[in-house]
Amino acid sequence: MSAHAGTLAEHRFVHRLILIKVDNSDSVKHVYAQLTAAQDDLHARKIIVYFIHNQRVTRWDPNGMGAVSVTSDIAQLITRGNVVLIGLDSEIKKAYPSLSLTRVFADIDQMPMRQAELRAAEGG
């Protein structure tokens, strides 16, 4: 997938998305640090993260962040809450007032598709 991919269709059944609205540069740095510390957990759950800050959409990458072109389907979903979780089926699963990766991971881990992934990883 291109580093500039920005449609729900390109992520469908490939990635879960976390969409995060941030108000200032300090918030971006704080959230970026949380994501960096949890990158193995994000990868294990097939999560791609997008930020919106100052009308600019940025895709989180542990090696650096860069602006991406996203289509209106993703941009519109970002406006649904401060933090929005999109499932593998490209449907909104949860909206949160703020980012809590512990809570997001717990919610994902209860989803049927994640349970199937875990069973498959265990060989059963």
Side-chain angles (χ1 to χ4, degrees), residues 1 11 13-20 35 38-51 59-62 83-88 96 99-109 111 114 117:
M1 183 173 78
H11 292 295
F13 297 114
V14 178
H15 300 111
R16 294 174 179 91
L17 304 179
I18 298 176
L19 313 174
I20 305 170
L35 296 171
Q39 64 184 323
D40 290 341
D41 291 318
L42 292 165
H43 180 74
R45 290 171 179 85
K46 303 176 185 177
I47 297 172
I48 300 291
V49 179
Y50 287 100
F51 290 95
R59 180 173 164 175
W60 177 78
D61 179 331
V83 177
V84 178
L85 172 62
I86 309 297
L88 286 173
Y96 307 90
L99 180 63
S100 165
L101 288 175
T102 302
R103 184 171 175 193
V104 172
F105 292 159
D107 289 341
I108 289 171
D109 290 347
M111 293 177 182
R114 176 66 177 152
E117 291 168 1

Side-chain angles (χ1 to χ4, degrees), residues 72-102:
S72 62
D73 58 357
I74 289 178
Q76 288 174 1
L77 294 174
I78 292 173
T79 64
R80 299 279 179 102
N82 290 330
V83 177
V84 178
L85 172 62
I86 309 297
L88 286 173
D89 60 0
S90 297
E91 298 292 324
I92 294 175
K93 299 302 180 185
K94 293 266 188 167
Y96 307 90
S98 61
L99 180 63
S100 165
L101 288 175
T102 302

Side-chain angles (χ1 to χ4, degrees), residues 52-57:
I52 185 166
H53 177 253
N54 291 336
Q55 309 302 316
R56 182 175 172 203
V57 177

